[in-house]
């Protein structure tokens, strides 16, 4: 594996942790959603990271009262996870 591939993987992994921190952190939900959407866009093409980032994003949409978008995020995350054979759980 070359160093660029490793760097891309590490960057994608860090983005998922930032997204989780946004869900749990002190920012207003609208600000956290905007930042999480940016992270989701940056993770495009790294399917594992996309699946993981969509979970806190869905939770944030739920907190904002946008249940349709929340469900969509969770459904897309579950679909990607199933496609990749990942066992992401809700709890």
């Amino acid at each position: 594996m070359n160093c660029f591939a490793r760097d891309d993987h590490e960057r994608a992994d860090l983005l998922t942790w930032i997204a989780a921190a946004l869900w749990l952190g002190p920012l207003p939900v609208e600000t956290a959603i905007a930042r999480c959407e940016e992270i989701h866009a940056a993770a495009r093409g790294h399917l594992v990271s996309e699946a993981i980032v969509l979970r806190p994003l869905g939770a944030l949409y739920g907190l904002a009262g946008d249940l349709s978008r929340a469900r969509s995020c969770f459904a897309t995350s579950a679909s990607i996870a199933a496609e990749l054979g990942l066992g992401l759980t809700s709890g």
Side-chain angles (χ1 to χ4, degrees):
M1 176 188 317
N2 69 42
C3 67
F4 294 112
R6 185 178 66 238
D7 288 347
D8 287 345
H9 177 75
E10 289 173 359
R11 180 177 180 271
D13 188 44
L14 288 172
L15 289 174
T16 64
W17 283 104
I18 293 169
L22 288 166
W23 170 46
L24 298 171
L27 290 177
V29 81
E30 294 79 13
T31 304
I33 287 171
R35 182 66 181 116
C36 229
E37 286 285 7
E38 292 172 4
I39 290 169
H40 181 241
R44 290 223 197 288
H46 192 278
L47 293 178
V48 172
S49 294
E50 282 190 57
I52 294 170
V53 168
L54 283 167
R55 298 173 64 76
L57 182 57
L60 288 165
Y61 276 122
L63 288 172
D66 190 342
L67 300 182
S68 176
R69 283 185 100 170
R71 284 187 206 93
S72 176
C73 287
F74 287 121
T76 303
S77 175
S79 175
I80 293 169
E83 179 181 323
L84 296 175
L86 300 176
L88 297 179
T89 61
S90 60

